[in-house]
Amino acid sequence: MAATLIDGKKIAAELRGAIGARVSALQAAHNLTPGLAVVLVGEDAASQVYVRNKGIATREVGMQSFEYRLPADTSQRVLLDKVNELNDDSAVHGILVQFPVPEQISQQTVIDTISPDKDVDGLHPINAGRLASGHLTGPGAALAPCTPQGSVMLARAALGDLTGAHALVVGRSNLVGKPVAQLLLAENCTVSIAHSRTRDLAGLCRSADVLVAAVGIPEMVKGDWVKPGSCVIDVGINRVEAPEKGLDDAGRPKTKLVGDVAFDDAAQLAGHITPVPGGVGPMTIACLLQNTLTAACRQHDIDEIA
Ligand code: NAD
């Protein structure tokens, strides 16, 4: 393998450590403990793991964690009432409703109901608008989505200044593709966004100094699409069968996680590359904690402790 691995696990641990120190300082100086509320509707197994991990990480940095588990048949009205209750709760500085929500609930209506000041997922139209207008620091700045923030931090950790780099984002979702493109623009990259209708995706990828793959298709970006020496940030998390690992207790093939990039081949050409797992994934929770700290400081009109 020619590429240097970008160790998201290590970088995320360092960020969580720094956040923990700032939470202690905030408590000492202002008697303020940031609080994050996570709401889960239904029993989706993957969502339960995510919510549990978020709770553990929140407590580890010294913040308050509030968890609400609602049954799968919860009506939209009941969920919106819970969100409004959390909007009004002064101990709660960040609110995250775990998606997907059951089909009787509109995800967009939930997003629209969360107070933009507590929207630590960065999905509210006000935060999306602030991000699009490049308002990223200071009072009233965007709370930016967590996975995109983490992705850009990893590119910066690998390359330093990203000014002038051609960054290609494959994927245009509101959760990942569009916000990561906005953040890369704010880093002075020349940004292209590719999607399912893009022509000559392989050729476009070969021109990218920074390639961010956020598609959700296992190993779709082939190794020879990667520009030699470039930085590859693989956001994808896909569970696939791994017959080489044998069978599970139920006699089914065991599984493994892979990204949207054919890692082994891409790593022959790239200069830097994120692994899956252990790349972007751990950064998402660290950035969620960062957003919660930022939100708490802003709600109390406190300058964020650096
Ligand atoms: P999404 O399904 O909402 O969006 C996928 C995007 O890929 C779409 O914009 C679509 O246009 C594009 N696309 C689909 N097929 C394509 C093709 N053949 N060529 C080019 N583009 C194509 O997914 P998402 O929510 O943006 O997530 C993307 C991936 O990132 C998923 O694997 C998801 O699991 C992962 N993810 C990881 C984290 C994390 O913490 N690491 C967080 C969120 C999402």
Side-chain angles (χ1 to χ4, degrees):
M1 185 175 102
T4 303
L5 266 192
I6 308 174
D7 189 346
K9 227 170 145 179
K10 177 164 169 269
I11 296 168
E14 287 165 3
L15 179 56
R16 291 199 313 273
I19 292 168
R22 282 151 62 205
V23 169
S24 301
L26 194 63
Q27 285 163 334
H30 299 279
N31 195 24
L32 173 62
T33 301
L36 173 64
V38 178
V39 183
L40 173 62
V41 186
E43 270 108 49
D44 180 72
S47 294
Q48 291 196 6
V49 174
Y50 293 144
V51 167
R52 194 172 61 236
N53 289 343
K54 283 167 187 167
I56 292 169
T58 304
R59 288 186 290 274
E60 267 176 12
V61 295
M63 296 184 186
Q64 264 195 293
S65 167
F66 305 92
E67 271 177 43
Y68 301 93
R69 290 164 192 267
L70 306 179
D73 61 357
T74 299
S75 68
Q76 176 165 299
R77 187 66 264 156
V78 167
L79 177 59
L80 297 185
D81 286 348
K82 174 49 84 182
V83 169
N84 278 318
E85 182 190 314
L86 297 170
N87 281 341
D88 293 338
D89 185 338
S90 61
V92 171
H93 304 96
I95 301 169
L96 184 150
V97 176
Q98 184 69 44
F99 294 133
V101 281
E103 58 184 13
Q104 72 274 16
I105 298 171
S106 152
Q107 181 167 312
Q108 191 58 49
T109 304
V110 175
I111 291 169
D112 291 347
T113 304
I114 296 173
S115 159
D117 295 339
K118 297 191 177 185
D119 167 39
V120 283
D121 248 350
L123 296 175
H124 191 284
I126 290 207
N127 282 315
R130 287 170 172 163
L131 176 60
S133 54
H135 189 176
L136 295 174
T137 52
L143 287 168
C146 304
T147 302
Q149 277 192 60
S151 302
V152 174
M153 278 182 198
L154 293 184
R156 285 190 55 160
L159 300 181
D161 186 5
L162 303 178
T163 299
H166 177 213
L168 173 69
V169 180
V170 191
R172 58 172 164 180
S173 70
N174 289 339
L175 180 65
V176 187
K178 282 182 204 150
V180 87
Q182 298 288 359
L183 290 170
L184 288 164
L185 199 56
E187 296 289 331
N188 300 313
C189 290
T190 302
V191 181
S192 308
I193 305 177
H195 47 77
S196 53
R197 309 288 177 88
T198 294
R199 291 187 194 139
D200 189 20
L201 181 60
L204 204 53
C205 287
R206 288 189 190 106
S207 72
D209 304 308
V210 177
L211 173 58
V212 180
V215 185
I217 301 178
E219 303 183 330
M220 192 204 74
V221 174
K222 303 302 170 208
D224 65 355
W225 295 10
V226 167
K227 179 177 174 178
S230 64
C231 175
V232 177
I233 306 292
D234 191 349
V235 181
I237 302 179
N238 309 288
R239 189 162 283 287
V240 297
E241 288 188 354
E244 72 275 13
K245 289 170 72 177
L247 302 177
D248 66 15
D249 293 344
R252 291 181 301 251
K254 287 190 175 166
T255 60
K256 64 177 178 184
L257 292 179
V258 298
D260 290 344
V261 178
F263 178 89
D264 290 345
D265 295 338
Q268 301 301 322
L269 284 177
H272 297 84
I273 188 166
T274 58
V276 176
V280 174
M283 296 299 290
T284 298
I285 289 187
C287 291
L288 174 68
L289 301 174
Q290 170 64 67
N291 274 355
T292 305
L293 177 60
T294 299
C297 290
R298 289 196 192 145
Q299 283 159 46
H300 289 264
D301 219 3
I302 296 169
D303 283 341
E304 217 175 310
I305 298 158

